[in-house]
């Protein structure tokens, strides 16, 4: 990866360092974004610009640290098997959604695995209908590639039954969570929430439409780093 992007790293070391520190990106995060740049035929710089802009705008809009959003976005973008068909805009919505629910983004992997083929989807929909009276369209769930929308469909279906997750027995919660593809804790948080995923995806579209320039991103992140680390430090090092 470094070999392919060596000239970019050399020419943009200062910018990349601000992104690294300002967005809290790890080596694995950079690798994930490099993979995204490779597969989309874009430069690493433009990919970082897009992720940085989206994370900053979504952070402001929803009151969440842009570092947390960027880290979750990069982790998902690096998971090609589960999120390879989703855009930067879509994973930013997922990052905000899971943070607002108070669950780990990796919890969504279970929602993907449990509903990705018709046999599993049909069996899951049938069991949820029999046990809880939930009305879920197995084909619609299987064809939906966005796990956030799958979560929202299950939440709406459960709430339509008039049941409360607080009234479920331990056994019922365990069964419900396993069929949803979530842990018991995540299922409880998701089903008791009034979060509307459509509102978050609409917010991600607004954030994308208000793309900020690299210069604006650098200023935003530099200001944030000053607040965190204090002023007077040296700026990002440039490659000679």
């Amino acid at each position: 990866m470094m070999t392919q992007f060596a000239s970019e790293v050399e020419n943009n070391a200062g910018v990349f360092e601000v992104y690294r520190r300002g967005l809290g990106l790890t080596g694995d995060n950079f690798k994930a974004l490099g993979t995204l740049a490779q597969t989309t035929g874009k430069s690493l710089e433009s990919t970082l610009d897009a992720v940085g802009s989206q994370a900053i705008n979504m952070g402001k809009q929803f009151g969440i640290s842009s570092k947390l959003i960027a880290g979750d976005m990069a982790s998902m973008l690096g998971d090609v098997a589960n999120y390879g068909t989703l855009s930067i805009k879509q994973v930013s919505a997922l990052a905000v959604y899971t943070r607002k629910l108070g669950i780990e983004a990796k919890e969504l992997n279970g929602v993907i695995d449990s509903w990705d083929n018709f046999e599993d989807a049909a069996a899951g929909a049938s069991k949820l209908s029999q046990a809880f009276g939930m009305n879920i369209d197995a084909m619609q769930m299987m064809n939906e590639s966005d796990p956030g929308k799958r979560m929202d469909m299950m939440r709406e279906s459960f709430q339509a039954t008039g049941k409360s997750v607080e009234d479920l027995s331990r056994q019922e919660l365990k069964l419900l969570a396993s069929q949803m593809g979530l842990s018991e804790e995540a299922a409880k948080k998701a089903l008791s929430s009034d979060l509307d995923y459509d509102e978050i995806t609409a917010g991600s579209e607004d954030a994308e439409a208000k793309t900020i320039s690299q210069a604006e991103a650098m200023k935003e992140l530099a200001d944030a780093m000053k607040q965190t680390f204090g002023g007077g430090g040296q700026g990002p090092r440039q490659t000679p």
Side-chain angles (χ1 to χ4, degrees):
M1 190 72 70
M2 283 297 295
T3 299
Q4 177 168 351
F5 295 111
S7 62
E8 277 199 74
V9 173
E10 182 177 359
N11 294 328
N12 299 284
V15 169
F16 287 4
E17 177 67 0
V18 173
Y19 276 133
R20 183 187 71 78
R21 293 180 63 195
L23 294 177
L25 298 177
T26 65
D28 283 340
N29 291 156
F30 262 95
K31 179 182 177 183
L33 298 180
T35 298
L36 178 64
Q38 282 182 317
T39 56
T40 56
K42 296 181 179 179
S43 67
L44 180 56
E45 181 183 13
S46 65
T47 300
L48 280 164
D49 286 342
V51 169
S53 174
Q54 193 73 7
I56 291 169
N57 283 338
M58 290 291 277
K60 287 180 178 179
Q61 188 174 171
F62 291 99
I64 301 174
S65 165
S66 58
K67 279 189 174 185
L68 295 177
I69 295 175
D72 288 346
M73 287 173 66
S75 295
M76 283 186 274
L77 290 168
D79 186 352
V80 177
N82 288 319
Y83 305 95
T85 62
L86 301 184
S87 66
I88 288 174
K89 174 180 67 179
Q90 288 174 305
V91 296
S92 73
L94 285 173
V96 168
Y97 186 54
T98 52
R99 288 286 172 181
K100 285 287 188 181
L101 286 175
I103 67 175
E104 296 286 336
K106 64 182 179 182
E107 289 274 7
L108 296 175
N109 294 350
V111 177
I112 295 171
D113 292 339
S114 297
W115 300 92
D116 256 10
N117 66 74
F118 184 73
E119 183 178 351
D120 289 343
S126 176
K127 289 180 181 179
L128 289 173
S129 175
Q130 292 173 13
F132 304 100
M134 294 170 63
N135 183 22
I136 291 178
D137 187 326
M139 185 65 74
Q140 184 180 11
M141 284 286 282
M142 184 190 71
N143 290 332
E144 178 54 67
S145 61
D146 188 330
K149 290 184 178 180
R150 285 181 178 177
M151 288 265 284
D152 224 32
M153 285 191 279
M154 289 188 285
R155 177 184 63 82
E156 290 174 356
S157 178
F158 179 78
Q159 292 178 348
T161 67
K163 294 181 173 67
S164 169
V165 70
E166 298 296 335
D167 297 330
L168 298 179
S169 67
R170 176 177 58 82
Q171 295 89 339
E172 286 175 325
L173 179 60
K174 190 172 183 177
L175 174 61
L176 179 59
S178 66
Q179 294 306 313
M180 291 177 67
L182 295 168
S183 66
E184 287 89 338
E185 180 183 2
K188 196 168 185 177
K189 288 180 177 179
L191 295 176
S192 60
S193 171
D194 59 357
L195 272 180
D196 187 339
Y197 187 60
D198 287 339
E199 291 183 5
I200 296 177
T201 56
S204 71
E205 291 174 1
D206 289 342
E208 185 182 55
K210 297 174 183 176
T211 299
I212 62 176
S213 68
Q214 184 182 95
E216 291 173 310
M218 293 296 99
K219 184 179 185 307
E220 292 269 0
L221 297 175
D223 289 345
M225 284 189 290
K226 284 180 182 178
Q227 293 176 8
T228 302
F229 301 109
Q234 293 181 342
R237 291 179 298 170
Q238 298 288 340
T239 300

